[in-house]
Amino acid sequence: MKPVAIHIGLRRVVDDSYDILIGIPLARAIEDIVRISGGGKAFVITDSNVARRYARAVDRSLRVRGKRCRILVVPPGEESKSRGIKARLENFLLSAGAGRDSMIIALGGGMVGDLAGFVAATLFRGVPYVQIPTTLIAQVDSSVGGKVAVDHPLGKNLLGAFYQPKRVYIDRAFLRTLPPREIRNGIAEIVKYAAILDRRLFSVLESSSTGDAARNSASILNIIKRCCILKKSVVEEDEREADRRRILNFGHTIGHALESLSRYRISHGEAVARGMVAEAMIAAGLGMISKNEVARLERLLRIYGLPTDIPAHVNLNRLFNMTRRDKKARGGVVEYTLLEKIGKGVTGVRLSPSRARSLFRAGLSKRPR
């Protein structure tokens, strides 16, 4: 597949438009970064797992092309998406002579992209940055759309901004080095897009037999492209999540609460998979979808080795009370994105934690064993 450019057009206040370049090798991405970044320094923010594989090559490629470069490495894992790590990065950047003409390069998965993007958004009130996502979940979702953030002890992504990158570079070669769990994490977000926006994609996913085949399959680029097109259509309509963009939160209200309660031992994709099934059960309890559609969603997630149950040790009162801290909650009432049918989600379903918990418990009691 030849490289494909998907243009995100955002011109309502200032021109924040940019391209997602899909299928572009890392070396060509570096060439393009040098071309668009001007004469300032480049600062690569990455984690230690990614740095071991790619940091030296990126550093050498930038320097060969005359770009001054520093590599900033953080520990892997969601725990690094914190105010403390952000402050350490900012201290380094300021002491290393970063300026408004500097370019920040986010090289890594969703944690790195969120963290580096938030640093870029606040340093000197905004410096340019680009995303080079190295995980499937980042390639299909988190690198696109300009949501950047760090976590807070009270919840996930509670401190952040909307700040768009200058480019997103997607290279399938990164996926070959991912462990199966990381592939599954990305597939959870792909299933989310299919469930809320694309019935045909849902059927395509059902026809596959194993998620691990995505690692070496040329078709994965087509799936990545489709997810990026779906997100483009949503973000162009509603960049700052005032309305339409909330459709992308399916599975995330309960999923984020579950992540936080587990102290991020449950990965994002696994939490979203569990959250999607739980929220589908709530929708069924409201009469929005049938039990057969809930079962179809659950069956698809299991095809790809994703968990679908809320762990037995999780206290449901704590879980649903945690959803009050969701960014969309108002006055203690949580706004859910739920399914109307496979391929169509709806936003703005307002439920108190106790009502959502009751609907979920009712769904559990009626679940086939």
Side-chain angles (χ1 to χ4, degrees), residues 226-259:
R226 182 58 186 159
C227 290
C228 289
I229 289 171
L230 291 169
K231 190 160 191 180
K232 160 192 162 69
S233 68
V234 172
V235 171
E236 286 183 338
E237 182 179 336
D238 177 22
E239 179 186 359
R240 293 178 176 262
E241 204 174 35
D243 184 19
R244 174 63 171 164
R245 189 165 179 173
R246 296 178 187 180
I247 198 76
L248 302 177
N249 291 315
F250 175 56
H252 285 62
T253 301
I254 292 174
H256 279 174
L258 187 58
E259 276 186 273

Side-chain angles (χ1 to χ4, degrees), residues 36-54:
I36 68 173
S37 63
K41 295 178 181 178
F43 294 91
V44 179
I45 297 178
T46 189
D47 69 45
S48 55
N49 288 339
V50 176
R52 278 193 294 271
R53 288 185 179 273
Y54 302 110

Side-chain angles (χ1 to χ4, degrees), residues 135-156:
T135 62
L136 183 58
I137 199 167
Q139 292 185 354
V140 299
D141 187 64
S142 63
S143 68
V144 177
K147 275 190 176 182
V148 296
V150 295
D151 301 329
H152 185 277
L154 293 178
K156 184 179 172 74

Side-chain angles (χ1 to χ4, degrees), residues 194-205:
I196 58 173
L197 292 170
D198 194 333
R199 192 177 187 91
R200 182 175 177 276
L201 177 58
F202 199 95
S203 296
V204 168
L205 295 172

Side-chain angles (χ1 to χ4, degrees), residues 264-286:
Y264 304 104
R265 287 188 291 271
I266 295 176
S267 69
H268 180 69
E270 291 166 354
V272 168
R274 298 175 193 267
M276 283 191 287
V277 173
E279 292 175 19
M281 292 168 67
I282 291 170
L286 291 168

Side-chain angles (χ1 to χ4, degrees), residues 78 80-87 89 111 114-116 118-119 147-153 155-161 264 327:
E78 190 74 13
S80 286
K81 216 172 88 174
S82 68
R83 289 176 292 175
I85 295 291
K86 180 175 182 282
L89 292 172
M111 178 278 288
D114 283 4
L115 174 64
F118 195 25
V119 169
K147 275 190 176 182
V148 296
V150 295
D151 301 329
H152 185 277
K156 184 179 172 74
N157 293 336
L158 295 184
L159 306 172
Y264 304 104
K327 297 178 290 299

Side-chain angles (χ1 to χ4, degrees), residues 154 251-263 266 271-272 274-279 282 308-326 334 336 352-354 356-357 360-361 364:
L154 293 178
H252 285 62
T253 301
I254 292 174
H256 279 174
L258 187 58
E259 276 186 273
S260 297
L261 281 179
S262 76
R263 297 182 181 178
I266 295 176
V272 168
R274 298 175 193 267
M276 283 191 287
V277 173
E279 292 175 19
I282 291 170
T308 59
D309 294 318
I310 301 298
H313 68 269
V314 172
N315 182 292
L316 292 182
N317 290 337
R318 287 190 67 200
L319 177 66
F320 281 91
N321 284 334
M322 177 72 78
T323 63
R324 291 182 192 272
R325 297 174 182 168
D326 187 88
V334 182
Y336 282 86
S352 68
S354 60
R357 183 179 64 245
F360 174 69
R361 279 180 167 155
L364 281 178

